[in-house]
Amino acid sequence: MQSAPSQQTFRSKNLLAISVACLAVAAAHIQSDPVAIGGSPNEGKRTSGPPVLNLPPSPSLPERIEEESDSASSDTAQQVVRKEDPSVLRGIWALKVTSAILKKGIESFETVPDYTASFYKQERMNGVLGDGQTIELKMKHEPFSVYMKWESGDSRGQQLIYVDGQNEDKLLVQPGGIKGRLTGVMKLDPTGTMAMSQSRHPVTKAGLIGLAHSILEYQEKDVERASGFVCELRDDQQFEERPCYLYICEYDSPEVNPLYRKSVIYVDKELSMPVCVKNFTWGKDVNPETIDEETLLEFYAYTDLQIQQKLGVADFDATNRSYRMRVR
């Protein structure tokens, strides 16, 4: 993902270069406000091909570390401290710090008027994991506006437009290929059966802010529960050559989280936004060595992110001649 050209950029601080003894200080430090992001349009051409996602294998979480008993010697306690990695937070602090980063990211990114990106999506629908799809994405925050064009997969050529408060609050969709020439633009209920047959989440939750809100919904429940999971927040990670934090969470059982077994989230340090998310569900009789491959539920990634592109009304208009959508 290319760095967004800007006049002002987030001045992110290294939040995780701390020792175990300074966790309380880290929790307070994360509350500092980032500088609002700004920028100018990128004059270069965006790549239209599927992104090459250089996603490293998800590292395994360590076994639970039992608390030291009162009878434990001071030498043993010191050995435990020395084994701790200062670039890693574990347990409830990892969860709380990640949530704080995302909340501050939402607050700052809401001031960004618009952006474009290459959006990668792979989902399991009705128990079947579909092929990955690469989608050209245009987003505007006020009014909430979305334009998507599928560049790969079975839906290649499909276009989608949604603008909050316009088109009778309907989703405008034109399928790709011959089907699209026959049907033209269709108006669909964003949360209706037809619209949701191709996606696990409605278009009204599309984009980086929508993804961050969805993550926080689960994290807030985890904070309240404060048990039933193991998690880590790792510093010095990268996604598409951009510095990131990596948050990993594994749940103990379906009773704790019926939908997700494990979540892997890359949070861009500059934006404090989730730029890559892989969620895994539960499986029966699954090979432990290939469990992640067999239980992948959702895979979302944003690459080639370009901020403040001065998107206008025409970018979210089905009559835009460059889109060649057949409006009836």
Side-chain angles (χ1 to χ4, degrees):
M1 181 174 65
Q2 297 178 355
S3 171
S6 59
Q7 298 171 350
Q8 293 181 339
T9 58
F10 286 110
R11 300 186 181 93
S12 60
K13 300 180 180 179
N14 187 337
L15 304 174
L16 299 179
I18 56 176
S19 66
V20 174
C22 298
L23 287 177
V25 176
H29 183 68
I30 191 63
Q31 298 300 328
S32 61
D33 290 337
V35 177
I37 190 168
S40 58
N42 187 335
E43 299 299 332
K45 295 183 179 180
R46 294 178 60 252
T47 57
S48 59
V52 178
L53 301 178
N54 299 317
L55 186 65
S58 302
S60 300
L61 286 169
E63 296 180 359
R64 293 178 183 273
I65 301 176
E66 301 294 338
E67 295 184 3
E68 294 295 321
S69 63
D70 295 337
S71 61
S73 66
S74 58
D75 291 340
T76 302
Q78 290 176 2
Q79 290 176 4
V80 172
V81 171
R82 281 198 295 268
K83 290 180 180 179
E84 291 290 347
D85 186 342
S87 67
V88 178
L89 289 180
R90 296 188 174 93
I92 194 66
W93 282 113
L95 173 59
K96 288 183 176 181
V97 171
T98 303
S99 296
I101 294 173
L102 292 177
K103 288 177 182 178
K104 289 300 180 181
I106 291 173
E107 181 181 342
S108 293
F109 206 68
E110 283 179 336
T111 66
V112 174
D114 58 56
Y115 61 94
T116 63
S118 181
F119 174 48
Y120 180 84
K121 179 178 79 167
Q122 186 177 20
E123 297 178 321
R124 186 177 298 274
M125 302 291 292
N126 299 317
V128 179
L129 181 64
D131 294 331
Q133 301 174 331
T134 305
I135 302 169
E136 176 189 350
L137 174 68
K138 297 180 182 179
M139 292 284 303
K140 189 175 181 180
H141 289 146
E142 187 61 40
F144 180 77
S145 308
V146 183
Y147 169 81
M148 294 183 179
K149 182 176 181 180
W150 274 250
E151 298 175 336
S152 68
D154 294 338
S155 300
R156 184 175 182 178
Q158 177 173 283
Q159 296 182 81
L160 173 156
I161 290 176
Y162 177 80
V163 181
D164 189 28
Q166 298 183 20
N167 304 310
E168 303 172 357
D169 281 327
K170 298 294 185 181
L171 178 65
L172 304 183
V173 180
Q174 177 169 298
I178 297 177
K179 185 178 179 180
R181 290 196 289 271
L182 294 175
T183 65
V185 175
M186 301 180 293
K187 288 187 176 181
L188 305 177
D189 179 351
T191 58
T193 302
M194 287 188 65
M196 297 301 296
S197 65
Q198 295 186 13
S199 180
R200 292 183 53 82
H201 305 280
V203 69
T204 52
K205 293 186 177 181
L208 291 170
I209 291 179
L211 181 58
H213 276 301
S214 296
I215 293 171
L216 283 172
E217 287 179 11
Y218 284 94
Q219 291 189 341
E220 288 170 358
K221 295 177 183 177
D222 292 342
V223 169
E224 183 177 355
R225 187 189 306 108
S227 64
F229 57 88
V230 181
C231 60
E232 285 189 354
L233 180 61
R234 303 188 177 192
D235 196 3
D236 300 327
Q237 304 293 312
Q238 284 194 344
F239 173 66
E240 291 296 293
E241 300 182 353
R242 285 181 62 88
C244 290
Y245 300 112
L246 172 59
Y247 177 74
I248 311 169
C249 181
E250 291 188 16
Y251 294 95
D252 291 352
S253 67
E255 286 70 32
V256 179
N257 190 322
L259 181 60
Y260 296 134
R261 174 186 60 84
K262 174 181 177 181
S263 290
V264 177
I265 303 170
Y266 285 82
V267 181
D268 187 282
K269 284 189 176 182
E270 181 184 6
L271 305 177
S272 294
M273 287 274 98
V275 290
C276 181
V277 176
K278 297 184 79 172
N279 291 322
F280 305 86
T281 190
W282 302 92
K284 295 181 179 180
D285 301 323
V286 179
N287 185 342
E289 295 183 359
T290 59
I291 186 171
D292 284 354
E293 298 176 15
E294 297 184 45
T295 62
L296 178 63
L297 182 67
E298 301 168 336
F299 182 4
Y300 307 115
Y302 291 82
T303 61
D304 197 18
L305 183 65
Q306 307 294 335
I307 293 172
Q308 291 196 358
Q309 295 296 284
K310 296 184 179 180
L311 301 178
V313 174
D315 291 289
F316 307 97
D317 187 347
T319 63
N320 185 329
R321 290 187 177 182
S322 65
Y323 294 160
R324 298 180 180 179
M325 298 177 73
R326 298 176 64 87
V327 181
R328 298 181 183 276

